[in-house]
Amino acid sequence: MARHHAGTAPGMPSQRQLRVGELIRHVVAEILARGEIADPEIEAMMITVPEVRMSPDLKHATVFVTLTAGGDASNAVKALGRHAKWLRGQVAHKVNLKFAPDLRFKYDTRFDETDRIDALLRSPDVARDLKADDDET
């Protein structure tokens, strides 16, 4: 039987997971903003970190990234992956945890999906259907 903390629904992250994820998000975002990674590929991209999800044991962190100025998301994820060990060391120095988590990078597709839905809602077909609905009432 799976255990979970009081007040936390099964499958939902605990308050500790959320808190640690947010601390790691701030550290990684700050490193990227300051240009502390000596990699021309990363320096050429504007990478943001909207979320970090922690495993229940806090030993693995999935760092979700987006590109604010376009670019190839898979290249950004690969480039960050090359520096994962160095970033892990930086996280270990700045966040007081028993174990420094392994960092995995993934491209966050939520914003792309939002843009796609917005474009659909603005399409002429949807506007026509909405106008037809208004005419019927």
Side-chain angles (χ1 to χ4, degrees):
M1 180 197 291
R3 295 184 330 164
H4 58 83
H5 299 283
T8 303
M12 297 296 295
S14 69
Q15 285 298 313
R16 181 157 172 79
Q17 284 173 278
L18 294 172
R19 192 169 46 248
V20 171
E22 189 63 11
L23 289 171
I24 292 171
R25 184 186 75 79
H26 279 281
V27 170
V28 174
E30 183 179 307
I31 289 168
L32 291 170
R34 290 184 178 178
E36 294 180 27
I37 300 175
D39 185 324
E41 194 170 3
I42 292 174
E43 291 170 358
M45 297 182 218
M46 292 188 66
I47 301 171
T48 59
V49 183
E51 182 181 8
V52 174
R53 291 186 193 158
M54 299 301 300
S55 64
D57 63 3
L58 304 179
K59 291 186 179 181
H60 302 282
T62 303
V63 180
F64 289 90
V65 297
T66 59
L67 300 175
T68 56
D72 187 351
S74 64
N75 285 345
V77 169
K78 288 176 190 172
L80 288 167
R82 288 193 302 268
H83 299 281
K85 286 183 181 180
W86 182 82
L87 283 164
R88 180 183 185 199
Q90 296 302 304
V91 167
H93 290 295
K94 296 178 182 182
V95 180
N96 186 20
L97 295 171
K98 188 173 184 178
F99 299 102
D102 288 326
L103 302 178
R104 300 174 184 150
F105 296 92
K106 285 182 113 176
Y107 181 68
D108 191 345
T109 60
R110 289 179 293 182
F111 299 102
D112 294 340
E113 186 65 16
T114 301
D115 291 344
R116 187 185 71 79
I117 291 170
D118 284 345
L120 280 172
L121 291 174
R122 282 189 247 107
S123 73
D125 293 338
V126 171
R128 182 189 67 235
D129 291 347
L130 289 174
K131 185 173 178 355
D133 286 346
D134 286 343
D135 291 345
E136 290 175 7
T137 55

